[in-house]
Amino acid sequence: MNSFNPVPLIIIIALVVILGGGFIFMWFYCMKIAKKQYANMFIRESKEKWARGNSAPENAEHTVMFDTGMKWGNENASCMTEIEMTSFDGLKMKGEYFDFGYDRACLIMAGRAETCKYCYYFADLYQKNKFNIIVVDPRAAGLSEGLYTGAGMLEGKDVDSWLKVVHEQFGIDHFVIHGICIGSVAAIYTAANHNPYVDSIVLEGPFISFYNVLCQRTRNLGKPSFPVCLQMGLLFKKYAGINIFKNTPIKAIPNVEVPQLMICGRQDVSSLPKYFNKINDASGSKRKQMVWFDEGAHSHLRIRNLEAYDKAVTDFINFGG
């Protein structure tokens, strides 16, 4: 009778314990990194964080953009009315409305960590094209309430509310949304939900999913994306109540029907250029255009390509009229 050899079983059990224990250790160790990175990037822990001001004073180009915008804001301060709204989840939100006497308005929506003051930089483009201007502090930034940013999903709901407020208070029925980064995704969600006041959307640097952006930015920092970015996605679900794995711009954009302009930079290392065609192709818009620029960092395309950028937007928003 053959005797039982326990060695193979022992080896298998040992491997399971080692691998399983290693994974558990890695998961808990990396969760500390994920929580720290999530808090740093997506939780407003004090009013000083993401306050109204220059978000990147160490960046000379960004500072030029901010200072140029503030000059515009100061020159047009007499036309500005402070506005506010209550979000779907009860947050008090603050913004500004510049009334130049036109019958249409552009809502300029910034990306993460920016406020209405940053949006001033894009305002003169639309003022020249006979638009009133709406600039707002996104949730968890500037004078608006909130602890958590919403990866464009929650901001899209906020844009819906802002358009309703301006429509009711100032009688404006026609809007263009100009979104940058997360702001562009907010524009996608708003248009995809068929907001009746949106005539068209201008998207600078949209992304296919926020999980994709997290992975790319983590790799840009020279760190491994797994499992940290997966864990950050779970933290979004826990704290902000959103699912960045399931709810993505690439899934929403087929429902967009209004005209759409995508402004794309080949040097963008956050919203990767290789995905821009995929986003554009997925859009349900019957009039969708793309413009590409060889120079310019993420969210910095206009300052590097001022004349061509402004011409592309001007031609798009005035098409047929």
Side-chain angles (χ1 to χ4, degrees):
M1 182 175 180
N2 294 329
S3 62
F4 173 69
N5 184 359
V7 174
L9 180 60
I10 293 172
I11 292 174
I12 292 173
I13 294 173
L15 287 174
V16 169
V17 170
I18 292 171
L19 293 175
F23 179 81
I24 292 171
F25 173 80
M26 179 185 70
W27 183 266
F28 282 97
Y29 176 79
C30 289
M31 180 59 81
K32 294 180 180 180
I33 299 173
K35 286 182 176 180
K36 182 177 180 180
Q37 190 163 325
Y38 180 81
N40 180 55
M41 297 178 68
F42 306 115
I43 299 179
R44 190 182 194 188
E45 297 153 317
S46 69
K47 290 184 178 180
E48 289 71 33
K49 189 175 184 178
W50 306 327
R52 287 183 175 180
N54 183 353
S55 66
E58 73 284 356
N59 186 311
E61 190 169 83
H62 193 90
T63 297
V64 171
M65 292 171 61
F66 183 80
D67 291 345
T68 301
M70 288 302 298
K71 182 175 183 293
W72 179 90
N74 292 332
E75 290 173 349
N76 294 280
S78 62
C79 299
M80 189 269 285
T81 300
E82 294 183 356
I83 55 176
E84 61 180 40
M85 69 87 174
T86 301
S87 68
F88 73 96
D89 51 353
L91 300 177
K92 301 296 182 182
M93 314 285 282
K94 302 291 185 179
E96 298 174 350
Y97 181 68
F98 290 81
D99 193 340
F100 300 111
Y102 303 125
D103 62 355
R104 57 184 184 171
C106 175
L107 189 153
I108 304 168
M109 192 70 180
R112 186 188 65 85
E114 300 293 357
T115 69
C116 66
K117 303 302 182 183
Y118 168 84
C119 298
Y120 287 173
Y121 176 71
F122 301 89
D124 70 300
L125 169 56
Y126 287 91
Q127 182 189 8
K128 292 173 184 175
N129 282 286
K130 298 184 178 180
F131 282 81
N132 301 328
I133 304 297
I134 310 160
V135 292
V136 302
D137 289 340
R139 57 178 51 228
L143 302 182
S144 289
E145 294 180 347
L147 292 176
Y148 312 110
T149 62
M153 292 176 237
L154 303 182
E155 288 81 0
K157 293 182 179 181
D158 295 336
V159 169
D160 268 324
S161 298
W162 280 119
L163 298 186
K164 182 179 179 181
V165 164
V166 173
H167 167 72
E168 292 176 348
Q169 292 187 12
F170 302 97
I172 302 297
D173 297 323
H174 300 280
F175 296 87
V176 170
I177 307 172
H178 185 114
I180 304 97
C181 188
I182 285 177
S184 70
V185 172
I188 290 172
Y189 281 112
T190 303
N193 288 329
H194 308 299
N195 185 293
Y197 305 122
V198 177
D199 289 342
S200 59
I201 55 176
V202 177
L203 314 173
E204 180 179 335
F207 44 83
I208 61 170
S209 78
F210 202 69
Y211 176 70
N212 181 278
V213 171
L214 287 180
C215 291
Q216 181 60 31
R217 289 185 174 179
T218 301
R219 286 191 289 265
N220 289 345
L221 295 173
K223 299 178 181 179
S225 59
F226 182 84
V228 171
C229 293
L230 172 63
Q231 292 168 323
M232 290 176 69
L234 298 176
L235 293 173
F236 264 107
K237 180 68 173 177
K238 178 179 180 180
Y239 293 111
I242 57 176
N243 189 331
I244 67 170
F245 307 113
K246 181 179 179 180
N247 299 323
T248 61
I250 196 68
K251 292 181 180 178
I253 204 167
N255 295 318
V256 170
E257 296 179 350
V258 297
Q260 165 193 304
L261 173 64
M262 273 184 58
I263 304 174
C264 312
R266 290 189 172 90
Q267 294 181 342
D268 198 325
V269 297
S270 292
S271 299
L272 295 183
K274 66 181 180 180
Y275 295 119
F276 288 146
N277 283 318
K278 183 176 181 180
I279 295 170
N280 190 67
D281 291 344
S283 174
S285 173
K286 297 299 187 291
R287 183 167 76 85
K288 50 189 177 183
Q289 300 173 225
M290 298 180 74
V291 57
W292 286 88
F293 293 111
D294 293 331
E295 295 185 3
H298 183 69
S299 303
H300 283 207
L301 295 179
R302 189 184 183 217
I303 192 171
R304 286 295 189 93
N305 309 274
L306 185 61
E307 184 176 346
Y309 187 108
D310 287 9
K311 184 179 187 305
V313 172
T314 296
D315 291 347
F316 172 76
I317 58 179
N318 292 313
F319 178 84

